[in-house]
Amino acid sequence: MRQVAPIATDHLLLNLAQADDIAAVGSKAFNLGRLERLQVPTPGGMVIPDTAFQAHLARAGVVDRIAHFLDRLPGLSLSDLEAEAGAIRGCISATCLDSALSEALAG
């Protein structure tokens, strides 16, 4: 198995108020962060930025699986597409978190 460096410990988690880059955190977190910055009551929360999530997927080998899937995409039947998408979803769900990310989430 290919060795991937552990996830860098900076910017693993952001407070909602820090979620000010839609490309980095997604639209839901961005909009919740915008509401928080406007001092509108919002549920408390943290955001895992896309860079940390992508590093997690790369470390777990899921990025390679997705790339292989995308290479084969034009030739797949609908049932094969659904099966492969389900398998990738399962791979993502089954990955173990990097210890730095796990510790950051534990607080």
Side-chain angles (χ1 to χ4, degrees):
M1 175 183 249
R2 180 177 59 125
Q3 292 291 328
V4 178
I7 298 171
T9 57
D10 57 334
H11 306 316
L12 287 178
L13 292 176
L14 300 174
N15 289 313
L16 282 178
Q18 298 171 300
D20 59 359
D21 180 355
I22 196 168
V25 299
S27 59
K28 182 177 182 178
F30 173 80
N31 286 315
L32 284 169
R34 187 166 77 178
L35 289 171
E36 188 165 300
R37 288 186 297 279
L38 291 170
Q39 298 181 342
V40 174
T42 58
M46 302 294 287
V47 179
I48 298 174
D50 184 60
T51 53
F53 183 64
Q54 293 300 324
H56 164 69
L57 293 180
R59 183 189 56 78
V62 178
V63 170
D64 293 336
R65 174 126 190 210
I66 292 170
H68 179 69
F69 166 68
L70 292 174
D71 288 343
R72 297 180 308 120
L73 188 62
L76 292 178
S77 67
L78 182 56
S79 62
D80 289 340
L81 176 67
E82 290 172 342
E84 185 64 21
I88 290 171
R89 197 169 29 255
C91 285
I92 293 170
S93 296
T95 60
C96 293
L97 293 179
D98 178 273
S99 61
L101 183 54
S102 182
E103 289 171 16
L105 288 168

